Amino acid sequence: MAARISMKNPIAEIDGDEMTRVLWALIKEKLLLPFVDLKTEYFDLGLPNRDATNDEITVESAGAIQRLGVGVKCATITSNTARQSEYNLKNLHPSPNATIRAILDGTVFRRPITVSNVTPSVSTWKKPIVIGRHAYGDVYKAAEMIIPGKGKVELVYTDEQGKETRKTVADMKGPGIVQGIHNLDESIRSFARACFLYAIDEKLPVWFATKDTISKIYDGRFKEIFGEVYETEFKSKCEAAGISYFYTLIDDAVARVVKGEGGFLWACKNYDGDVMSDMVASAAGSLAMMTSVLVSPSGAVEYEAAHGTVQQHYYRWKKGEKTSTNPAALIFAWTGALAKRAELDDTPDLGAFAKKLEAAALQTIEEGTMTGDLARLAVPAAKQTLDSWAFIDAIAEKL
Ligand code: NAP
Ligand code: MG
């Protein structure tokens, strides 16, 4: 066997739960370890170990991503009362992704993995559309009130010296509702930085859209800060990378997205990102073909699959069934992390390996060999629908 590719620096490897944990081990055994002398710092975020460590392992893993600059994460169970009895947990722990995101202060980017035999429902889309979602504030941190009857609703800001500034929201003519939302300059700035860092990395033009014609101050501030960050910090870097920054109104953006051919990063305000990422994901094909990257303003990155632990497949696997669970997004989480490591360490062999593994996975699918979720969508019809084990063997063979 040829010598394995060596790594200069480790990546933070974050293991998880259920079917994705089973696939994680299989991907390492069949697709990574035979070719790469894998260097990782391993964190077991499987629910039993999070419980045993009172969730300290999650905090440690986030610190490792920050320190090493690159992490790869398996899907993890977010515990609830059903999981508490299933796993006999001492406590309910917060979502690991929320914990890690809070520590890294990150922005989440979701990108579909496209193959020629699964066509998007939007026929003009030729290249993937990546969504970058601002994950702080707006309606997700709102104060809301039911207004029982006639009266005045005001916004009141009290500064640290106690001085008040007021503005009338409405002179209510009868019962109704009111909502107060906010955002922070610094959070918007971090969001813009994360978007430009990601876009330069992936050589994607950046689109950003708000409704600043109507919301002149609130959305206007988003537009202004995004533009400032571009002009002062990223303009020359974007030009060097050959990518552009385009601002438009959100309704214009939606019309252009549906008529366009894709191939850009769509930076979205929190609510727009929530809605539009589900639209883009379902129009592009399957949840099992969507990757997710968390990018921190410091430049640290964490790669994962967008899907969960595929719980129902896991129960069937435990009963002895070889399920046809699609490992594509997990494989791409690994290749994303290895390629990033290669770039930071200047180890082109490792980068080339990541590209080859991706190509092997895509070719296997495009030649008609796939898992059940894709076989349901493929045109022309799948030649072979395999279980995860045989599918991963087919990719290894191609690789
Ligand atoms: P899920 O694991 O994403 O699965 C939902 C359904 O989508 C599956 O039942 C399956 O449909 C299909 N699917 C998802 N990934 C697939 C794959 N790789 N191959 C084939 N089919 C796939 O979501 P869930 O069942 O709602 O959540 C299960 C657990 O995951 C929960 O405990 C949740 O907390 C956790 N979760 C974790 C993350 C994360 O760590 N990033 C994200 C979301 C959810 P069929 O059954 O029709 O085959
Ligand atoms: Mg949503």
Side-chain angles (χ1 to χ4, degrees), residues 309-330:
T309 60
V310 214
Q311 186 179 3
Q312 297 310 321
H313 291 213
Y314 178 65
Y315 295 150
R316 283 167 22 215
W317 175 78
K318 280 225 292 199
K319 286 191 189 137
E321 184 188 331
K322 282 199 158 180
T323 59
S324 188
T325 317
N326 188 344
L330 289 170

Side-chain angles (χ1 to χ4, degrees), residues 75-155:
T76 45
I77 292 169
T78 298
S79 56
N80 55 21
T81 49
R83 298 303 201 158
Q84 187 161 24
S85 37
E86 183 182 359
Y87 284 84
N88 196 14
L89 302 176
K90 291 184 284 185
N91 289 306
L92 285 185
H93 306 291
S95 145
N97 284 355
T99 302
I100 293 171
R101 210 172 296 159
I103 294 171
L104 295 183
D105 179 22
T107 300
V108 174
F109 298 94
R110 291 200 154 181
R111 168 184 211 133
I113 303 164
T114 53
V115 285
S116 58
N117 44 349
V118 176
T119 45
S121 332
V122 179
S123 58
T124 51
W125 288 0
K126 304 286 176 252
K127 291 179 259 175
I129 294 167
V130 181
I131 300 271
R133 175 182 170 190
H134 185 209
Y136 177 83
D138 299 352
V139 71
Y140 300 85
K141 244 182 156 55
E144 301 187 320
M145 226 157 97
I146 288 178
I147 305 299
K150 272 189 178 177
K152 186 154 90 169
V153 176
E154 286 179 291
L155 289 177

